[in-house]
Amino acid sequence: MWPLRIENPIFLQTIYGHYPDLSSVEVTKAEISLDGPSLHLHFISTRLPTGLPSNADHSTRCIELAFEGVESISVRKFQSHDRSAVRMWDDAGNILLTCEGTVRLSMTCQFMRIIKISGLLQSQ
């Protein structure tokens, strides 16, 4: 489930036709900044958008999300090259996020926005 407090949801809905499933993504970077404070979460998804022309050169999508007004964050595990499940939802005026799998983190923030979605050719 995606939270309702996304600053620019039309972008995501236009290229995917819906909110993409994040139950099996590879988290590649998590940047925590005191400015905001904020968390930028980068991950790779094999779920391709439906609203864009098919491109054989891109087998996956890199997605970067920014979470602003971070109130709490906990990182318990950060390993590479395997899958994690990202879940987000609204709760009492905040967004809650959990990531379970190779990367285990949880966070509470005030709002989020989509920074970037780009194509990536990933070798098998």
Side-chain angles (χ1 to χ4, degrees), residues 46 59 89 121:
T46 56
S59 58
W89 64 97
L121 176 60

Side-chain angles (χ1 to χ4, degrees), residues 34-122:
L34 289 177
D35 185 28
S38 66
L39 167 73
H40 283 225
L41 189 63
H42 303 243
F43 55 88
I44 298 171
S45 173
T46 56
R47 304 192 193 279
L48 299 177
T50 57
L52 295 177
S54 176
N55 187 340
D57 292 341
H58 300 126
S59 58
T60 60
R61 290 292 180 258
C62 293
I63 301 173
E64 180 183 352
L65 303 177
F67 299 91
E68 305 292 339
V70 172
E71 296 176 0
S72 67
I73 189 164
S74 171
V75 180
R76 297 176 304 282
K77 179 179 174 184
F78 205 96
Q79 295 178 329
S80 61
H81 305 298
D82 211 350
R83 300 285 172 187
S84 296
V86 175
R87 290 183 353 127
M88 300 175 279
W89 64 97
D90 290 296
D91 182 60
N94 285 324
I95 295 173
L96 303 181
L97 175 136
T98 62
C99 182
E100 295 294 332
T102 305
V103 174
R104 296 186 57 165
L105 65 88
S106 58
M107 182 211 48
T108 303
C109 71
Q110 295 173 356
F111 60 94
M112 69 167 284
R113 58 191 164 98
I114 297 135
I115 299 296
K116 178 171 54 172
I117 298 176
S118 59
L120 174 70
L121 176 60
Q122 193 171 35

